[in-house]
Amino acid sequence: GGGEGTTGTLSDDLRRLGFELQRFKTGTPCRLNGRTIDFRQLSEQPGDADPVPFSYLTDSITDPQMPCWLTETNHEIHELIRANLHRAPMYSGQIQSTGPRYCPSIEDKVVRFADKTSHQIFLEPEGRHTHEFYCNGISTSLPRDVQDQMVRSIKGLEKAEIMRYGYAVEYDFAPPTQLFPTLETKLIPGLYFAGQINGTTGYEEAAGQGLLAGINAVLKIKGQEPLILDRSQAYLGVMVDDLVTKGVDEPYRMFTSRAEFRLLLRQDNADRRLTPIGERIGLASSERVRRHVDYEADLARGLAMLAKLRHQGPTLEEWLRRPEMTIESIRALSPDVAAMNFSPRVWEQLEIEVKYAGYIERQEKEVDRQIKTQAVRIPETFDFRAAPQLRAEAREKLSRVRPRDLGQASRISGITPADLAVLLMYIKEPQRLISE
Ligand SMILES: Cc1cc2nc3c(=O)[nH]c(=O)nc-3n(C[C@H](O)[C@H](O)[C@H](O)COP(=O)(O)OP(=O)(O)OC[C@H]3O[C@@H](n4cnc5c(N)ncnc54)[C@H](O)[C@@H]3O)c2cc1C
């Protein structure tokens, strides 16, 4: 929220310890009092009719869902913003760092997309126990009087009262190439960085890293193997690998498009990918483990049935692969299948597993192939600078990132297959290089 003091001395300490710090910026829109919004003029945006629970411990969501409301900016507002740009710290030169590309401020949008005559604004309720509304789309660093004028010129908001004004902030982050994939800093053993300090933006990004950093700190204390998730295993794996390998040149958001194995990283199988890992390291509750074991058992039974039972010749599995068939139509075909009292998630997963088996298998093979070549470990003590056969750029980049295996090395921008071949030789047959 607004009004918090800064913690600059922390940055000073980090710099003194040898960390490199850089600056990013971000902002937030104003919040409105819902009792002063004229909803009759707005278009209602309901949520999903059948919302999918985030947690696998929740069977269904029964609470009534709250809608969002849509309105938009207009020519008058764009003129107002242009006339006041010199008063926006983001534009007057006071703040110069890079902001989040995917949630630009309204002044950014008005300048960059000057031909657009309006921009959408989603009014989102902040919660069940508050009247506050979040104005998604008009994040701003403009002063209060301009925000007041801006809001009152928007359809449905003519009488709206601002409860909290929008603002922008600039903050320090430590380029995350200074981290091992455990999120432990390379500089200070036992010190872990997670969240915005690593140049990411967002609640989920911060929470995910916090979880991994915490897990790895504990595993280190216990003297156990670290937990490093692969890019084919979890979005967390993609994010951490991107951060420590490539670094960031703008606030990092976890988009699905950053993953190359999207057929494997599905929301519907997150528990199948990660619950066994949670169980192994003691982080899955017994309730979660029990549910997961039951779920896997139901799936195995269902798949076996589909593979065995036949209808007019072909197996039910073969029937289900046909584009026009769904798990519902299979249940209509076979009383034996219909008699199974599986949960909706099991039915859905059966359909996904059978229908997409070919594509999923192909991607799994690709992962296996990559894992074999990429898994070759690089010793943590390996001195890239003392490898004269490497190109200067490769020496420089590799010693900065200090990849732990060939896979990570290959993803550093500017590292070529030829560099990897040299590296592989250093690791596997160092005597050949020395004698050359
Ligand atoms: C204005 C604004 C709007 C945003 N809007 C969104 C949004 O709509 N959606 C979204 O997903 N993300 C949003 N973000 C980004 C998101 O809030 C952050 O990326 C995320 O909260 C970062 O979490 P964190 O735990 O890494 O850091 P923080 O939440 O900043 O936590 C760091 C904590 O460390 C404390 N601290 C600092 N120094 C010390 C010290 N020396 N000793 C002890 N404690 C210390 C701080 O007080 C703070 O509580 C927004 C960010 C801002 C600034």
Side-chain angles (χ1 to χ4, degrees):
E4 271 176 32
T6 59
T7 46
T9 53
L10 181 59
S11 294
D12 293 340
D13 287 342
L14 291 175
R15 253 186 232 104
R16 243 195 315 278
L17 288 168
F19 286 100
E20 182 201 342
L21 299 184
Q22 290 177 13
R23 296 286 273 164
F24 278 156
K25 70 179 178 191
T26 192
T28 197
C30 60
R31 311 297 201 272
L32 300 179
N33 182 343
R35 283 168 294 197
T36 61
I37 297 173
D38 183 3
F39 292 105
R40 291 166 309 179
Q41 295 191 60
L42 307 179
S43 79
E44 186 173 343
Q45 304 286 308
D48 291 348
D50 200 6
V52 179
F54 189 69
S55 165
Y56 295 112
L57 300 182
T58 306
D59 290 318
S60 66
I61 293 171
T62 49
D63 285 333
Q65 297 300 291
M66 302 173 78
C68 294
W69 301 84
L70 185 61
T71 182
E72 60 193 13
T73 62
N74 53 46
H75 179 71
E76 189 188 337
I77 295 169
H78 295 189
E79 284 302 304
L80 174 76
I81 291 171
R82 278 193 202 98
N84 284 281
L85 272 182
H86 63 285
R87 299 175 65 202
M90 298 266 208
Y91 269 93
S92 61
Q94 206 178 324
I95 293 184
Q96 287 178 332
S97 47
T98 311
R101 173 196 303 257
Y102 303 94
C103 21
S105 65
I106 185 62
E107 46 270 31
D108 241 337
K109 288 195 272 196
V110 166
V111 172
R112 273 168 45 196
F113 309 104
D115 54 321
K116 292 266 180 298
T117 52
S118 77
H119 294 283
Q120 287 187 324
I121 305 169
F122 286 89
L123 301 179
E124 306 172 351
E126 291 258 359
R128 291 185 192 283
H129 308 291
T130 172
H131 292 286
E132 248 179 271
F133 271 76
Y134 180 94
C135 304
N136 193 345
I138 50 169
S139 166
T140 187
S141 67
L142 284 160
R144 292 178 174 208
D145 60 295
V146 182
Q147 292 190 42
D148 280 325
Q149 269 193 70
M150 187 161 87
V151 163
R152 307 237 161 91
S153 315
I154 295 171
K155 188 177 63 176
L157 306 184
E158 294 84 355
K159 299 209 169 80
E161 180 190 306
I162 294 182
M163 293 176 85
R164 287 190 284 161
Y165 286 88
Y167 60 91
V169 296
E170 209 179 15
Y171 55 93
D172 294 329
F173 74 96
T177 46
Q178 301 172 92
L179 303 172
F180 290 116
T182 54
L183 298 181
E184 185 179 22
T185 64
K186 292 170 181 170
L187 216 48
I188 315 269
L191 177 64
Y192 293 74
F193 283 172
Q196 194 161 283
I197 195 171
N198 288 338
T200 62
T201 183
Y203 310 140
E204 295 84 355
E205 288 79 359
Q209 290 168 69
L211 176 66
L212 277 182
I215 288 171
N216 278 312
V218 170
L219 290 174
K220 177 163 181 158
I221 291 168
K222 289 180 164 176
Q224 293 174 8
E225 273 284 293
L227 177 67
I228 296 164
L229 296 170
D230 192 79
R231 296 179 70 93
S232 62
Q233 252 179 327
Y235 278 100
L236 274 179
V238 174
M239 172 167 66
V240 169
D241 183 62
D242 280 349
L243 291 175
V244 305
T245 306
K246 296 191 182 131
V248 291
D249 51 17
E250 61 185 20
Y252 181 98
R253 266 262 179 213
M254 185 67 262
F255 296 114
T256 51
S257 59
R258 297 190 190 274
E260 59 275 48
F261 302 119
R262 289 200 285 285
L263 280 183
L264 305 181
L265 303 186
R266 308 189 311 270
Q267 182 185 351
D268 64 79
N269 70 357
D271 54 344
R272 306 189 72 189
R273 290 183 276 118
L274 299 173
T275 299
I277 297 173
E279 186 184 6
R280 176 166 58 75
I281 58 177
L283 277 183
S285 66
S286 52
E287 164 72 355
R288 186 182 297 277
V289 171
R290 187 188 60 71
R291 277 175 175 253
H292 183 67
V293 168
D294 289 351
Y295 174 70
E296 289 287 354
D298 280 353
L299 278 179
R301 268 195 303 156
L303 287 171
M305 256 183 129
L306 294 173
K308 201 180 85 200
L309 297 179
R310 288 176 186 276
H311 173 78
Q312 294 173 356
T315 64
L316 294 180
E317 185 186 296
E318 284 159 346
W319 277 99
L320 184 51
R321 279 211 202 102
R322 299 182 183 185
E324 73 278 10
M325 298 297 282
T326 64
I327 195 71
E328 283 310 314
S329 39
I330 297 294
R331 285 164 79 175
L333 279 187
S334 160
D336 289 333
V337 174
M340 304 304 292
N341 66 340
F342 291 149
S343 69
R345 278 201 69 221
V346 171
W347 290 119
E348 181 202 52
Q349 193 65 16
L350 285 174
E351 180 168 316
I352 293 171
E353 279 285 317
V354 171
K355 273 202 176 305
Y356 302 106
Y359 302 100
I360 294 172
E361 244 166 59
R362 211 178 305 158
Q363 195 147 89
E364 278 167 350
K365 280 213 187 93
E366 170 66 12
V367 171
D368 278 347
R369 202 180 56 77
Q370 286 201 11
I371 283 176
K372 284 207 186 78
T373 47
Q374 302 200 344
V376 176
R377 285 288 189 103
I378 303 170
E380 219 168 85
T381 51
F382 189 84
D383 187 358
F384 297 96
R385 289 189 198 281
Q389 283 87 346
L390 282 171
R391 292 177 309 123
E393 182 193 356
R395 276 204 302 274
E396 194 268 315
K397 288 192 162 154
L398 289 166
S399 52
R400 184 155 44 81
V401 177
R402 284 162 67 186
R404 63 196 304 276
D405 52 41
L406 281 190
Q408 196 192 352
S410 73
R411 291 186 298 275
I412 300 171
S413 67
I415 295 299
T416 66
D419 299 329
L420 295 177
V422 173
L423 206 49
L424 186 63
M425 208 175 286
Y426 261 108
I427 296 163
K428 293 260 149 123
E429 313 171 78
Q431 63 289 353
R432 259 183 71 187
L433 284 162
I434 292 159
S435 60
E436 257 170 30

